[in-house]
Amino acid sequence: MNPTTHVLESRYAQLEGGHPLAGVCTSSGTTAIFYSIINLASEGDNIVSSSALYGGTFTMFNDILPKFGIEVRFVDGGNPQNFLDAADDKTRAFFTESVSNPSLEIFDIEEIANNAHSIGLPLICDSTFSTPYLCKPFDYGADIIATSATKWIGGHGACVGGIIVDKGTFNWGAGKHPLYDEPDSSYGGLRWGHDLPETLAP
């Protein structure tokens, strides 16, 4: 562990209202979003996302994730019901930006999160444009925050980075995410959502 990176992860996680060990730094905001998706979805799965997205995120969702067999279903995020209407038994998460870049649309995080939870799914929220100073998505039910540190958090535009924070309250072993239910052969058959002690459980 790089101690400087650890300090950044810990402080940012706490700014978002998360546990000091709940943050992971990545090489970019796009990478943070990519990691948050591929740890939940695999070939044949889908996520439901607001269509009002940062251009790089839209490109990843529209052109790159489908090459991995992951479908992204775009909806008008202004109506939270649209997320539920687009979901099925292969949906692994809902995704929205707290404030969309560049259109500056503001979404009802709480209602989108409630809809996600009603069918056993997490809400991933990109809070890049609001920052934890203006909005804490965890307070409104989001389960994962993925943000670009390149913009406001970096404060200088001289480097590229991203951060993921897990709220730590979602039940990953509830049967909605095969990646957490099925044995992982690279870890001796460990089932990530079931076999870890409570203090280490995702």
Side-chain angles (χ1 to χ4, degrees):
M1 174 189 304
N2 181 306
T4 304
T5 305
H6 170 63
V7 169
L8 173 60
E9 293 168 340
S10 178
R11 290 182 180 178
Y12 186 81
Q14 291 176 85
L15 284 172
E16 290 287 11
H19 187 279
L21 299 178
V24 175
C25 283
T26 62
S27 59
S28 69
T30 299
T31 303
I33 294 168
F34 181 72
Y35 281 3
S36 71
I37 301 297
I38 64 166
N39 278 283
L40 305 181
S42 55
E43 186 176 9
D45 294 335
N46 68 76
I47 65 166
V48 179
S49 172
S50 164
S51 59
L53 297 168
Y54 171 64
T57 304
F58 180 81
T59 298
M60 174 171 47
F61 284 5
N62 192 64
D63 302 306
I64 298 173
L65 287 179
K67 294 178 181 178
F68 291 81
I70 300 171
E71 176 191 4
V72 179
R73 299 175 176 178
F74 297 103
V75 299
D76 177 359
N79 182 354
Q81 181 64 35
N82 292 339
F83 289 83
L84 274 179
D85 292 344
D88 62 19
D89 63 350
K90 289 289 190 178
T91 304
R92 302 301 177 216
F94 290 174
F95 183 94
T96 190
E97 296 179 0
S98 55
V99 178
S100 65
N101 174 13
S103 61
L104 300 180
E105 295 179 55
I106 298 173
F107 300 105
D108 188 341
I109 297 170
E110 188 169 24
E111 189 62 25
I112 297 170
N114 287 340
N115 287 346
H117 297 159
S118 74
I119 55 173
L121 299 178
L123 172 62
I124 304 168
C125 185
D126 178 347
S127 64
T128 298
F129 250 49
S130 57
T131 77
Y133 183 79
L134 297 176
C135 175
K136 297 181 187 293
F138 287 163
D139 290 348
Y140 301 97
D143 301 287
I144 298 170
I145 293 172
T147 193
S148 171
T150 309
K151 301 177 177 70
W152 316 123
I153 292 299
H156 39 60
C159 67
V160 178
I163 306 176
I164 308 167
V165 184
D166 183 340
K167 185 178 182 181
T169 58
F170 188 81
N171 181 8
W172 298 108
K176 289 286 188 174
H177 297 88
L179 291 174
Y180 290 82
D181 294 323
E182 297 172 357
D184 184 344
S185 61
S186 66
Y187 276 83
L190 182 75
R191 299 172 304 157
W192 293 102
H194 301 269
D195 299 331
L196 292 171
E198 185 176 349
T199 53
L200 295 177

